[in-house]
Amino acid sequence: MSGDNAFVVVANRLPVDRVDGQWVASPGGLVAALAPVLKRNSGCWVGWPGEPDATFSPFTHDGIRLQPVELDADDFEEFYEGFSNSTLWPLYHDLIVTPRYHREWWQRYRAVNEKFARAAADAAAEGATVWVQDYQLQLVPGLLREMRPDVTIGFFLHIPFPNPDLFRQLPWRTQVLRGLEGADLIGFQRRRDEANFLDLAASDPEAHTPRTGTFPISIDASEFDKADDAAITKVRELVSNPRTLMLGVDRLDYTKGILQRLTAIEELLEEGRLESAALIQVATPSRERIDSYKATRAGVEEAVGRINGRYGKLGRPVVHYEHHAVPKSQLRNYYSAADIMLVTPFKDGMNLVAKEYVACHPDGSGALVLSEFAGAAVELNRAHVCNPFDVESVKNSIVSAIEAQDSPAARDAMVQMNAHVREHDVSRWAEAFLSELAAVRRNR
Ligand code: ADP
Ligand code: F6P
């Protein structure tokens, strides 16, 4: 069976969330970048609506056709929490926690990937282009290739691709590789990720390596600009007008190094190297039933309490902690008000938060402390780079960012990074991938 969509996006999640019975656009640049392509090409987005055991018919939201894929409670546990986020996520992020290998999870991953592939095959018109997203769906290209040899298939990996020696731990490594090879083009965030994949494929005598490329993802820069002075003043007043306002914005995930940045701040306070400073730490709840996420949250919240107990005063905590999602307009105010942004992941495919912060400082204000292990460090190469595994390095980067504040060099660095992000936004990313995919298609 074939559908009538000339362009199909397949992602684990639909670009909408159900809030009080209504569909609302979920925040994220991907849909902003792809919406014009979807609308132009009578396109469709295949994905999971985010609720287990809920059946929804296909519908249109904001001019985009959405094709829900139903996941039941067992799929949620074994495919989403299990294989995707307790096996692949830690393996692809270089074993920050130990990946868990379970045969039932693998079987469920395969079955759910089949469901997505079937839905994509049904939605795609003859000769359509199908773009599959991310590590949750690595078998879809191979499965879809068998179901629909006529379609052109792109795959983009939003997270890092590990060194082959790590990847080879995976008991189902061959099947995953075969799944990816169904794509006509595989896109990665960094050259390093692409090189890891090519090294792996080169060592497999059976591999049919598809075309690969490096396409660093970005943000919808039109959504982020400096907030007005009144909004900035309000944020700073809410946190009692510290001399230095620091900010962290992350999903509460062990890859993000939130505890390590808190430890760095606590040690700087102990050593008297940080005066009149406050941190706003926004942490979005994420994958909350998984033990390693529970442990990360406990560690972060204990540190927040301890630091405030040791160094805060009544009405003047050092760390202002929010464990919930924040509207984009409010995030923009936080980004604009912050003197120093702390982005300290142990490993991150890209880290869009770093780019969002930079986009909010066109005037050269602010400073970015950035882990060398974030994909964003390749482009945002004038940040204060740190190694999150080395607390002294994080401390020194924070201090150097504070000391350099308002210097011509610091302003120049922010202005230059801002121009880079504005020019290389998410639409440009989508165009680059899709035009390369179109070139591969012409040569097929
Ligand atoms: P990841 O994809 O691993 O979560 P990124 O930094 O690449 O990390 O992207 C996170 C996205 O989620 C950014 O667009 C950021 O603005 C958004 N985000 C993170 N925390 C929050 C929050 N508390 N409220 C709203 N949006 C958030
Ligand atoms: O960037 C990696 C990623 O898993 C995306 O696929 C996803 O949109 C985001 O992080 C949030 O994760 P989740 O969908 O598990 O809440």
Side-chain angles (χ1 to χ4, degrees):
M1 182 177 126
S2 73
D4 56 358
N5 300 286
F7 180 59
V8 179
V9 174
V10 192
N12 181 45
R13 285 184 188 269
L14 284 177
V16 288
D17 296 314
R18 195 138 170 98
V19 181
D20 301 329
Q22 302 287 325
W23 293 108
V24 292
S26 42
L30 193 58
V31 63
L34 296 179
V37 193
L38 286 158
K39 287 178 187 164
R40 226 174 24 241
N41 293 292
S42 130
C44 153
W45 188 305
V46 173
W48 172 53
E51 277 175 48
D53 278 329
T55 312
F56 298 105
S57 305
F59 60 102
T60 299
H61 185 267
D62 236 351
I64 298 175
R65 293 193 212 178
L66 303 176
Q67 177 69 54
V69 174
E70 185 177 335
L71 299 189
D72 64 23
D74 291 337
D75 294 335
F76 182 76
E77 213 172 305
E78 297 185 346
F79 157 77
Y80 173 76
E81 296 183 317
F83 201 79
S84 296
N85 290 314
S86 301
T87 306
L88 294 173
W89 182 267
L91 178 65
Y92 283 30
H93 287 87
D94 292 356
L95 321 185
I96 298 162
V97 306
T98 305
R100 297 173 58 200
Y101 302 117
H102 288 301
R103 280 164 282 203
E104 318 78 68
W105 291 359
W106 159 250
Q107 275 151 17
R108 185 72 63 168
Y109 183 77
R110 212 176 43 196
V112 171
N113 270 249
E114 266 164 24
K115 244 192 242 193
F116 277 91
R118 173 50 55 206
D122 290 348
E126 184 70 25
T129 293
V130 180
W131 192 1
V132 184
Q133 310 288 328
D134 229 354
Y135 64 101
Q136 301 95 340
L137 302 178
Q138 291 174 102
L139 305 183
V140 170
L143 293 164
L144 185 59
R145 170 72 59 228
E146 277 176 26
M147 295 172 190
R148 292 290 304 275
D150 58 299
V151 300
T152 302
I153 305 170
F155 179 88
F156 187 79
L157 185 68
H158 291 253
I159 68 172
F161 193 82
N163 179 289
D165 281 346
L166 293 185
F167 183 83
R168 285 194 197 97
Q169 285 192 1
L170 187 65
W172 308 280
R173 58 198 186 183
T174 311
Q175 292 94 318
V176 169
L177 194 51
R178 293 288 99 81
L180 289 169
E181 284 168 13
D184 294 288
L185 173 66
I186 307 183
F188 297 92
Q189 300 276 28
R190 300 178 313 157
R191 292 222 180 284
R192 188 70 257 155
D193 301 314
E194 185 183 0
N196 283 343
F197 175 80
L198 291 173
D199 281 356
L200 177 76
S203 67
D204 176 355
E206 308 271 296
H208 311 281
T209 314
R211 276 277 286 276
T212 57
T214 296
F215 307 90
I217 199 169
S218 192
I219 59 167
D220 177 9
S222 68
E223 270 201 305
F224 294 94
D225 204 344
K226 188 145 188 166
D228 57 43
D229 288 347
I232 292 175
T233 304
K234 185 159 173 231
V235 172
R236 297 191 70 106
E237 275 171 359
L238 281 171
V239 294
S240 311
N241 280 316
R243 196 179 319 141
T244 305
L245 177 57
M246 297 177 284
L247 173 65
V249 175
D250 312 79
R251 256 184 326 101
L252 214 168
D253 192 299
Y254 51 81
T255 58
K256 302 289 181 183
I258 304 171
L259 179 58
Q260 286 59 29
R261 91 179 60 127
L262 291 168
T263 306
I265 289 169
E266 185 170 19
E267 289 192 13
L268 287 172
L269 289 164
E270 257 166 27
E271 294 162 15
R273 291 168 73 196
L274 199 56
E275 276 168 26
S276 180
L279 168 70
I280 299 177
Q281 175 64 57
V282 189
T284 325
S286 182
R287 308 173 190 167
E288 286 195 283
R289 301 195 320 175
I290 301 175
D291 285 345
S292 45
Y293 287 77
K294 286 185 189 156
T296 304
R297 178 175 175 192
V300 165
E301 295 186 348
E302 188 192 344
V304 169
R306 192 181 58 243
I307 295 170
N308 285 338
R310 290 180 73 190
Y311 297 102
K313 301 235 163 57
L314 209 58
R316 267 184 164 265
V318 176
V319 186
H320 300 258
Y321 173 69
E322 298 192 33
H323 180 241
H324 48 74
V326 164
K328 274 265 153 23
S329 55
Q330 195 176 330
L331 263 190
R332 183 171 152 237
N333 295 344
Y334 290 179
Y335 286 140
S336 302
D339 301 304
I340 316 276
M341 183 78 208
L342 303 179
V343 178
T344 57
F346 292 121
K347 191 86 186 174
D348 210 330
M350 176 52 61
N351 198 287
L352 294 177
V353 162
K355 291 188 171 181
E356 289 169 0
Y357 177 75
V358 162
C360 289
H361 291 268
D363 56 357
S365 57
L368 174 64
V369 169
L370 180 59
S371 160
E372 63 188 274
F373 301 106
V378 174
E379 292 165 275
L380 304 180
N381 54 9
R382 295 190 64 189
H384 297 267
V385 173
C386 70
N387 171 5
F389 295 92
D390 172 6
V391 70
E392 294 300 333
S393 162
V394 181
K395 285 158 65 181
N396 291 338
S397 292
I398 293 173
V399 170
S400 76
I402 293 173
E403 285 174 356
Q405 259 187 107
D406 292 325
S407 68
R411 287 194 167 273
D412 186 59
M414 287 302 289
V415 167
Q416 186 256 314
M417 292 194 290
N418 178 276
H420 178 90
V421 170
R422 295 221 160 269
E423 204 182 322
H424 298 84
D425 73 352
V426 72
S427 314
R428 187 159 159 170
W429 166 81
E431 273 160 32
F433 184 92
L434 291 171
S435 61
E436 180 112 7
L437 186 58
V440 177
R441 176 199 179 100
R442 281 194 295 277
N443 295 327
R444 272 217 310 165

